[in-house]
């Protein structure tokens, strides 16, 4: 298992940051970028991941692409996400809405001297007391576990 850094920041305005990163032993920026754009749809997406992305429509992934996201638990949360930005060769960003979680998710890559770094950032707010309790009891740990699985699968795929 590779080393993945997780950092969390809680501010007084109830906006939270959930960060994860992984170092990929590659210089192939195009391959990495192509895979982060396919986030949720790629062939390397972990089978054990409890998060499913269902693209709405058949157009290529671009600004404005919508997804229905589902946590595969009985009565698991569901929400919509919208691709808000794709910055060539560096990142993709989505906005979450119509859910217990409001916020933005960005997957970004950076070239390092001998490798590539992929950074995941979720800036979010959980709506409702019950949802905040569920998030703290189990959903946050499940989210962190799934992001680790995803980043490790991405690393394994890219380094093959």
């Amino acid at each position: 298992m590779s080393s993945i850094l997780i950092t969390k920041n809680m501010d007084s305005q109830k906006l939270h940051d959930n960060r994860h990163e992984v170092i990929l032993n590659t210089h192939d920026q195009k391959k990495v970028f192509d895979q982060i754009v396919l986030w949720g749809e790629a062939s390397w997406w972990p089978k054990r991941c409890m998060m499913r992305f269902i693209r709405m429509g058949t157009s290529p992934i671009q600004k404005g692409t919508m997804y229905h996201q589902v946590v595969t638990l009985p009565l698991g949360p569901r929400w919509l996400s919208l691709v808000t930005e794709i910055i060539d060769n560096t990142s993709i960003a989505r906005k979450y809405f119509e859910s217990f979680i409001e916020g933005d998710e960005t997957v970004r890559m950076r070239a390092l001297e001998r490798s590539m770094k992929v950074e995941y950032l979720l800036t979010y707010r959980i709506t409702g007391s019950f949802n905040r309790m569920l998030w703290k009891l189990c959903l946050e740990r499940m989210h962190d576990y799934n992001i680790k699985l995803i980043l490790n699968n991405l690393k394994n795929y890219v380094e093959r």
Side-chain angles (χ1 to χ4, degrees), residues 10-103:
M10 309 288 204
D11 73 17
S12 61
Q13 308 235 320
K14 298 191 183 188
L15 277 178
H16 308 282
D17 284 347
N18 183 278
R19 297 175 186 269
H20 300 254
E21 61 185 44
V22 66
I23 303 297
L24 309 178
N25 296 313
T26 185
H27 291 290
D28 191 341
Q29 292 183 357
K30 180 177 178 359
K31 183 175 185 179
V32 175
F33 178 71
D34 289 350
Q35 296 310 306
I36 67 171
V37 168
L38 286 172
W39 193 264
E41 298 185 63
S43 62
W44 52 263
W45 193 257
K47 303 295 183 241
R48 294 184 334 215
C49 182
M50 298 183 83
M51 173 56 62
R52 295 289 175 251
F53 283 66
I54 304 157
R55 190 181 336 169
M56 299 168 75
T58 58
S59 63
I61 301 168
Q62 59 193 347
K63 184 175 180 178
T65 298
M66 297 260 313
Y67 289 91
H68 187 167
Q69 291 187 232
V70 178
V71 175
T72 59
L73 289 173
L75 304 173
R78 301 168 177 269
W79 60 90
L80 296 176
S81 65
L82 174 72
V83 175
T84 56
E85 185 174 56
I86 297 178
I87 299 177
D88 237 6
N89 299 319
T90 60
S91 67
I92 185 167
R94 289 177 202 79
K95 182 167 192 60
Y96 289 176
F97 55 99
E98 293 187 14
S99 174
F100 79 102
I101 188 168
E102 298 173 345

Side-chain angles (χ1 to χ4, degrees), residues 120-159:
Y120 171 91
L121 171 62
L122 174 63
T123 301
Y124 68 97
R125 177 186 341 260
I126 304 296
T127 61
S129 306
F130 181 72
N131 292 332
R132 281 191 292 278
M133 180 185 69
L134 280 178
W135 180 256
K136 281 297 172 199
L137 284 175
C138 63
L139 293 177
E140 184 177 26
R141 271 190 312 276
M142 188 175 74
H143 167 79
D144 289 342
Y145 172 79
N146 282 303
I147 296 298
K148 287 179 199 176
L149 277 177
I150 294 163
L151 291 174
N152 276 314
N153 273 29
L154 171 61
K155 178 179 178 61
N156 292 337
Y157 177 83
V158 167
E159 291 179 358

